[in-house]
Amino acid sequence: MSAPSPAPSPRGRFITFEGIDGAGKSTQHARLIDYLRDKGVTVVASREPGGTPLGEKLRTLLLGDSMHLETEALLMFAARREHIAQVIEPALMRGDWVVCDRFTDASVAYQGGGRGLPLTKLQQLATWVQGDLRPDLTLVFDAPVELAQARVRSGTTNPDRFEQEQNEFFQRVRQAYLAIAANEPLRVKVINATQSPEKIATEVKALVDKVYLIH
Ligand SMILES: Nc1ncnc2c1ncn2[C@@H]1O[C@H](COP(=O)(O)OP(=O)(O)OP(=O)(O)O)[C@@H](O)[C@H]1O
Ligand SMILES: [Mg+2]
């Protein structure tokens, strides 16, 4: 008689970080990864666009080369398709957590809100590429555009194609993120990103601790 197969591991948690350039996503992403690993959670730290070797090549194109707005959206979702197939789904199936610096809300905010691509087209792509997959928790780091841009300027010598956009573009992106949060208050939480990194990290941990209770 063969030994009984082990019980399948419970599905992991999927957390995404969002916000305009310079809001402080990557800073808090690194801190949360450390926090979760210290708690003994197996975490896959990832980012979009990117997250796979092919996705990182697409990221280089997306952040560097001028292109049609729809090409930009399609490449974002192409990279996402690869990321979901190669990294996100397998990790969640193993019971690992995935903490991703940007995901589909960024396409809605940047290509939709920022550049004006109709939401219906983005929703079609999202349905195609991710099916039912949704983050369990999304944190929107919210700060005034002027503050976020000052942070980008102080931290970067070579701004990418998005970071070079004008104030009005980021105002639209910010408003699009706030609209997403207003529409999906259970999944999406807005964090005041003007606070100190320590204060923000404390809020992030409190919200993430609650995600244990989901499902
Ligand atoms: N709460 C904070 N207060 C002050 N400065 C901060 C704070 N959080 C991050 N910074 C600084 O602001 C700059 C941008 O932060 P970070 O790279 O985390 O932003 P980001 O949202 O990931 O930006 P991007 O979208 O361009 O990747 C960095 O130099 C970082 O050290
Ligand atoms: Mg970043």
Side-chain angles (χ1 to χ4, degrees), residues 82-95:
E82 193 68 12
H83 192 202
I84 292 169
Q86 303 294 342
V87 176
I88 298 175
E89 274 296 350
L92 296 176
M93 293 291 286
R94 287 195 303 270

Side-chain angles (χ1 to χ4, degrees), residues 32-183:
L32 179 63
I33 304 296
D34 289 347
Y35 172 71
L36 288 172
R37 287 187 178 148
D38 284 351
K39 278 171 80 121
V41 177
T42 307
V43 191
V44 175
S46 200
R47 68 172 183 181
E48 288 206 351
T52 65
L54 177 63
E56 291 294 326
K57 287 184 189 168
L58 292 172
R59 180 187 180 94
T60 304
L61 293 175
L62 279 160
L63 299 191
D65 290 34
S66 299
M67 62 187 75
H68 188 277
L69 154 65
E70 293 192 348
T71 311
E72 182 177 287
L74 288 163
L75 288 181
M76 289 285 184
F77 274 95
R80 183 162 299 133
R81 184 72 199 94
E82 193 68 12
H83 192 202
I84 292 169
Q86 303 294 342
V87 176
I88 298 175
E89 274 296 350
L92 296 176
M93 293 291 286
R94 287 195 303 270
D96 297 351
W97 289 39
V98 178
V99 183
C100 192
D101 193 338
R102 296 191 184 284
F103 192 61
T104 301
D105 296 314
S107 300
V108 172
Y110 279 73
Q111 281 71 52
R115 302 228 195 274
L117 186 67
L119 221 51
T120 47
K121 289 195 171 174
L122 291 162
Q123 279 160 353
Q124 283 168 357
L125 287 171
T127 301
W128 181 20
V129 161
Q130 67 196 73
D132 292 336
L133 177 68
R134 296 280 177 284
D136 297 298
L137 175 68
T138 296
L139 304 180
V140 171
F141 295 86
D142 182 62
V145 169
E146 296 73 16
L147 176 67
Q149 293 207 296
R151 287 183 186 167
V152 169
R153 279 194 298 273
S154 72
T156 321
T157 42
N158 250 338
D160 68 39
R161 204 163 64 82
F162 290 94
E163 289 167 346
Q164 287 168 25
E165 284 289 347
Q166 302 304 306
N167 190 300
E168 298 72 38
F169 174 84
F170 289 110
Q171 299 288 3
R172 293 194 297 277
V173 175
R174 182 185 184 197
Q175 292 311 315
Y177 272 130
L178 295 175
I180 294 169
N183 279 335

Side-chain angles (χ1 to χ4, degrees), residues 19-28 101-102 110 151-152 154-155 163 193-197 200:
I20 57 176
D21 294 63
K25 297 175 296 300
S26 301
T27 303
Q28 296 298 328
D101 193 338
R102 296 191 184 284
Y110 279 73
R151 287 183 186 167
V152 169
S154 72
E163 289 167 346
T194 66
Q195 307 173 94
S196 69
I200 296 170

